[in-house]
Amino acid sequence: KDGTRDANVFDIQQGVAISLLVAGAGKRELRHADLYGERATKYRALQENTIATTPWTILRPATELLLWRPFDATNTEEYSSYCAITEVFNSAGDDGRGSCWAKGLATTKDHLFISFDRAEALEKIGLLASRTASDKQVAQQLELEDTPYFTISGARALVRDGDFKSRIRKVTYRPFDTRIIYWHPELYDVGRGASSKRVMSHLWRPNIALVTSRMTKGESFAHAFVSRVPVEVIGLSSKTSNNAFVFPLRLYPDRSAQLELNLDPDQSTTNLSPTVMARMARAMGVSRTKSGMPAGLTPEEVFQYVYAILFSPSYRVRYAEFLKVDFPRLPVTPSHGLLQGLARLGGELQELHLLEAPIVDKPITEFVSGPNCEVEKIVWSESTVWVNRAQTTGFKGVSEDVWNFHIGGYQVCEKWLKDRKGRRLTRQDCDHYQKIVVALSETLRLMGEIDELIEQHGGWPGAFV
């Protein structure tokens, strides 16, 4: 915890927990102790101590969480009274057939199915679909091999079945990093079977989705983003425990969840829980419309209200312990003014994070270029992000706060460039990066405004009682 090296007692990288379970002792008790430091220090402590001399902490796990570690239970009752995100985005179980949210998609072969642009995707998938190249040639050129769950011949047969070009679509791969995907759910894992395929398919139509995590193991909560298209499973964090989960606002008729991607538009339904909407209406003392929404509110405003709450710095600090171990929970406010004010700020955040806000087209940075535009080594120094070793090419005007800003487990300004190491930056790449910097700068401002607005209405938890 003091920053020094914490070594393992075994020759492995993964952390170790040792449990001593006693049966029939007649005493119900849960104790916990941590041991940090170098291996020799740990060996000595284990050699010299016994169960009796170990400085145990007595644990009393909360009924809902049942954590086998020390936990700050302050604000438990308050936080537990809020609505779980899985309850908020839960209209009728996806037309009664499954959940209305799902884990992000996982191709298990990103180098094949995910590309930086459409031309690259068409080249790779075109080779896979080729009737002249042999399986061996395809395997060599695309760096593929057969596995128990993927065979080159089987994949090629599926790709050839129909017009593969119609399946080239966009995917949110990482924050602010939209890539191109060849969409064919039978070729890779999209999360949890048929229900996940349905959830992702709702995002091929006009829609928007909240992206967040079930837990934030080893990371501080910054795990909230938006997308109009399907999302890759580690879109918020490289830690598998912190996978991205996707909550679409709109649901389309069940037939749109099949493999067909180009269907005539149909009336969508709102993926918001009638129970939670009724609770919001009661809290504000308003009636509900025929669609079930609190009077005076649209589904989009509720979505944006949720988004603003998740970007409240005080929310993230106050409930940090709870956000480590489960999905976020949403407080309901009795103030119509606060709800609409937060919805307005959440809407601005949404536009920024989708790079749809007009302000992102007004750069606050200057791109300086030397003879080499290839991304080699990313370094931030004196408000400049350098991308080559000679530090002649980079982006001037990136503040330290923006440089350090995280979405999920990713330091955005570094991650976006790091994923392009070895590639040459195009003009479009530079423009996109400058838009990201504007979006993050404005996000920091809006996060401050969100907390100010909450304080004006009574702060935490008063504004939500």
Side-chain angles (χ1 to χ4, degrees), residues 130-148:
S130 169
R131 296 184 182 277
T132 57
S134 67
D135 286 357
K136 185 176 181 180
Q137 290 172 320
V138 169
Q140 289 176 340
Q141 292 188 50
L142 296 178
E143 298 179 359
L144 298 174
E145 59 182 26
D146 286 348
T147 71

Side-chain angles (χ1 to χ4, degrees), residues 73-382:
T74 307
N75 304 321
T76 297
E77 184 177 349
E78 171 185 314
Y79 188 71
S80 297
S81 70
Y82 300 159
C83 304
I85 287 295
T86 51
E87 298 167 350
V88 177
F89 293 94
N90 198 337
S91 57
D94 205 321
D95 295 330
R97 296 193 178 191
S99 61
C100 305
W101 49 272
K103 188 184 289 189
L105 62 88
T107 73
T108 71
K109 287 180 174 53
D110 285 6
H111 73 285
L112 171 63
F113 294 119
I114 295 185
S115 307
F116 280 99
D117 54 47
R118 184 177 175 84
E120 180 188 341
L122 288 173
E123 182 181 351
K124 290 188 296 189
I125 305 303
L127 177 58
L128 199 64
S130 169
R131 296 184 182 277
T132 57
S134 67
D135 286 357
K136 185 176 181 180
Q137 290 172 320
V138 169
Q140 289 176 340
Q141 292 188 50
L142 296 178
E143 298 179 359
L144 298 174
E145 59 182 26
D146 286 348
T147 71
Y149 306 102
F150 177 93
T151 64
I152 296 168
S153 59
R156 299 186 75 190
L158 284 171
V159 171
R160 289 168 181 160
D161 183 18
D163 178 16
F164 73 83
K165 294 180 182 178
S166 67
R167 295 181 179 275
I168 305 294
R169 295 297 177 107
K170 291 182 178 179
V171 64
T172 296
Y173 191 64
R174 301 290 181 264
F176 298 101
D177 193 350
T178 300
R179 305 257 183 117
I180 302 299
I181 187 172
Y182 172 72
W183 171 259
H184 202 310
E186 292 182 37
L187 285 173
Y188 49 80
D189 172 29
V190 292
R192 296 180 179 176
S195 63
S196 285
K197 294 174 185 179
R198 283 199 300 274
V199 170
M200 288 300 166
S201 292
H202 292 303
L203 291 168
W204 295 127
R205 313 292 295 282
N207 213 336
I208 191 163
L210 172 70
V211 188
T212 190
S213 295
R214 184 190 290 272
M215 62 176 66
T216 53
K217 183 179 178 181
E219 297 170 349
S220 298
F221 181 82
H223 298 62
F225 202 60
V226 285
S227 179
R228 294 197 183 279
V229 295
V231 180
E232 207 272 340
V233 69
I234 61 169
L236 289 178
S237 172
S238 59
K239 292 178 178 288
T240 54
S241 55
N242 302 351
N243 281 163
F245 283 78
V246 183
F247 298 79
L249 177 61
R250 301 250 169 217
L251 301 178
Y252 286 88
D254 191 58
R255 67 179 180 276
S256 69
Q258 306 306 316
L259 292 180
E260 295 87 353
L261 300 176
N262 298 305
L263 299 171
D264 293 332
D266 294 292
Q267 182 92 25
S268 66
T269 57
T270 304
N271 185 25
L272 293 173
S273 163
T275 303
V276 175
M277 293 304 99
R279 178 174 172 178
M280 293 181 74
R282 286 196 304 272
M284 293 186 292
V286 299
S287 60
R288 296 172 68 195
T289 64
K290 289 183 179 180
S291 65
M293 295 298 300
L297 283 180
T298 65
E300 287 71 23
E301 285 177 314
V302 173
F303 182 94
Q304 292 158 0
Y305 168 75
V306 173
Y307 204 53
I309 291 292
L310 298 186
F311 273 87
S312 161
S314 55
Y315 171 88
R316 293 179 173 188
V317 171
R318 186 177 185 87
Y319 305 118
E321 284 291 301
F322 306 97
L323 292 167
K324 291 177 184 177
V325 296
D326 204 355
F327 284 115
R329 301 183 77 90
L330 176 71
V332 172
T333 179
S335 170
H336 197 275
L338 175 59
L339 194 150
Q340 288 197 314
L342 289 174
R344 176 182 58 80
L345 296 172
E348 291 184 43
L349 282 173
Q350 173 187 307
E351 280 195 322
L352 287 167
H353 296 168
L354 294 170
L355 298 182
E356 296 174 353
I359 195 170
V360 301
D361 293 321
K362 300 174 182 177
I364 58 175
T365 53
E366 176 190 359
F367 178 66
V368 292
S369 178
N372 183 15
C373 273
E374 182 182 328
V375 181
E376 298 174 329
K377 184 178 181 181
I378 302 102
V379 175
W380 179 89
S381 175
E382 296 180 356

